[in-house]
Structure formats: structure tokens, C-alpha cells
Amino acid sequence: MVRPPSVRSVGELTSPEVPQCLQATSILCLPIGAIEQHGAHLPLDTDVVVAEELTRRIVTRWGDELDLWQLPTVSISLSREHDWAPGTLSLSIQNFVSLLRDLARNIVRALPARNLVIVNGHGGNRGVLDNLIHELRGDFALNACVIHPFDLAKVDVSAAGPDVHGGRSETSVMLALAPQRVRREAIAAPTHPPDGDAIAALVFDRGVSFPWRSDDPRLTASGAIGEAHAASRELGEAIIGSVVEEARGVLRRLLENQRLMT
């Protein structure tokens, strides 16, 4: 018996169901997270939770209309900026790229779908992913794009300072997705505000790239950079809702790209 269309997890299909349920125009949705420090108030797997749950919600919302299927999560990625902290795990760039290239090779071997959207839960993956999708297209004929959720969301965060890591946005989303995982008692306003000019120069300046680290005392004293104390579940729900709604346009554009490729 073929699974009903509402079951849109590749991992839940049986092998005979794969060619019955998926086709070349199906869109595979791959969550990529990270295992890294997020200050004292958020768990190491915050980026996994965010990527996986946002993917699930996107697939639930648009799956029937656009034929979306969720892939198992890649949970460890590029986190060298946090490798000073206990618990942080990180792949090398070479191994991360090799992992995703091998995964792409297996997708085109094992599945009929030729569209891939990566839901990237960790900002540190962006530069590599933005380049890698060219290889996925050129080497495997896999039509791909990357969603960066916090940049895709059309929500006014209204933070007084830079919101980089474990701050108002990320904490708010975790309060909406997994409130039981947030150590609320560890959230406090920073006693020594970070150097805004240093954050602007090291993290956000588009004219130059630096290997900034989250143990740099100019940026943070806690490993988190941003106003976690100003987070709220309501803001988190607004960010999540915006990402899900904005994803429809991204997915339709991906399908248009596939039509132009053929």
C-alpha cells in the first residue's frame, strides 16, 4: 500500500514506495544544523532543533501543493568559531563538503527527485553552502538552493544591538519551538555590553571577512551575542510564521529553475 500524501518524510517510506511517491519534480528538504555552544541558556543542538522543526513546518504547510519531502537531518557542520567551548563539535570544511557531495551523489542514485532545498540552521555554513550548490548543479544535475531562516524572515526584531548568536531572535525561536529546553534562569542582560564597532567590523562588514570567534571578549563575555533577555515566544512564533510563508516563493522559484534546466 502506498503511503498517503500527508506522510512526507523520506525516512518513513519503504523502498517500494519511493518510486511510487516521488518524481523528478519533487522537492527534497534537507535540514542542516550544528552542535555548538549557545551561551549558558540554549542547548548545544539549538541549530538542529531550528533547522529540523522549520523544515517540518515548511513541508507540512506546502508539501501537498509543491510535493515536498523531508530528508534526515545533518546535525554536525562547521562550528570552528565555537570550538573553544565544551560540547562544540565541528567538521573540517573538506569533510563537510565531502559529506554533502556524497549525499547528493546518493540522492540522484537512490531517489527520483532532482530538487533540493537546504534549510540551514547555522550561519557559519553559509559561505560554503552558497558555493557548494553550484557544484551540486554542475556535477550531479541537482537543482538546489539554500534557505537561511533568520535572513528570510520578514520580521522586525527591533534589537538595540547586533543580534548574532544565541541572542533575541534565536532565543525567541527556541522559546516557541522547544521552551522546555531553554534555561530561562541563565538569561540575563549583559553586565558589560559588547563593542558594537567590533561586532560591525568583524562580523557584519561585507567588504572584508575575518575569522571571528565567540570567545573574543570584544564580542561577548558569555558566548552569546545579542539580547537574549529581550526574547519572547511571540517574537519566535512571528519569525517562524514568516519563514514558512516566505518559503513558498523560494520553492516555486526553485521549480522554475528546474524547468529552465531541462
Side-chain angles (χ1 to χ4, degrees):
M1 178 182 294
V2 177
R3 289 270 188 156
S6 59
V7 179
R8 293 193 166 274
S9 167
V10 170
E12 292 187 29
L13 296 174
T14 66
S15 180
E17 289 169 350
V18 169
Q20 297 173 327
C21 291
L22 275 69
Q23 55 188 332
T25 55
S26 300
I27 300 176
L28 302 171
C29 301
L30 174 66
I32 297 182
I35 302 295
E36 62 186 32
Q37 74 82 25
H38 281 78
H41 65 290
L42 293 180
L44 295 168
D45 67 347
T46 290
D47 295 345
V48 176
V49 173
V50 171
E52 194 165 71
E53 183 60 22
L54 284 177
T55 301
R56 188 190 69 79
R57 293 191 184 204
I58 289 169
V59 170
T60 298
R61 178 69 176 88
W62 306 115
D64 290 345
E65 176 184 343
L66 299 173
D67 195 17
L68 311 182
W69 294 86
Q70 184 159 348
L71 289 168
T73 303
V74 174
S75 296
I76 300 175
S77 55
L78 303 175
S79 300
R80 291 294 297 273
E81 67 271 34
H82 306 292
D83 64 6
W84 58 272
T88 295
L89 303 176
S90 183
L91 299 176
S92 68
I93 291 176
Q94 294 87 342
N95 284 340
F96 181 63
V97 169
S98 294
L99 171 65
L100 294 183
R101 284 180 57 87
D102 279 349
L103 181 56
R105 185 179 296 109
N106 274 276
I107 284 172
V108 300
R109 175 192 58 79
L111 302 171
R114 292 297 177 266
N115 297 302
L116 176 69
V117 57
I118 296 170
V119 180
N120 176 38
H122 172 49
N125 297 332
R126 181 169 194 149
V128 172
L129 291 175
D130 285 355
N131 283 279
L132 181 61
I133 55 178
H134 292 282
E135 293 191 7
L136 300 187
R137 175 169 178 162
D139 296 347
F140 304 106
L142 192 58
N143 181 40
C145 70
V146 183
I147 286 177
H148 306 284
F150 291 99
D151 291 321
L152 184 67
K154 302 297 188 293
V155 175
D156 181 10
V157 176
S158 297
D163 196 39
V164 179
H165 180 72
R168 186 180 186 194
S169 295
E170 203 164 21
T171 303
S172 293
V173 168
M174 283 297 286
L175 286 172
L177 295 179
Q180 75 282 3
R181 307 276 297 278
V182 180
R183 281 66 163 176
R184 297 172 192 247
E185 71 282 358
I187 301 175
T191 55
H192 300 288
D195 184 337
D197 290 340
I199 293 175
L202 296 174
V203 181
F204 289 120
D205 189 340
R206 301 294 293 177
V208 61
S209 297
F210 288 103
W212 65 270
R213 292 175 56 82
S214 58
D215 60 347
D216 185 332
R218 295 170 295 177
L219 308 183
T220 174
S222 66
I225 308 173
E227 301 171 351
H229 62 283
S232 68
R233 181 177 187 137
E234 292 74 20
L235 176 59
E237 292 288 1
I239 292 171
I240 293 164
S242 180
V243 171
V244 172
E245 291 305 309
E246 293 295 326
R248 182 176 185 269
V250 175
L251 297 165
R252 289 177 63 86
R253 192 173 302 116
L254 184 69
L255 291 174
E256 178 63 21
N257 290 349
Q258 185 186 36
R259 286 190 285 271
L260 294 175
M261 287 173 63
T262 57

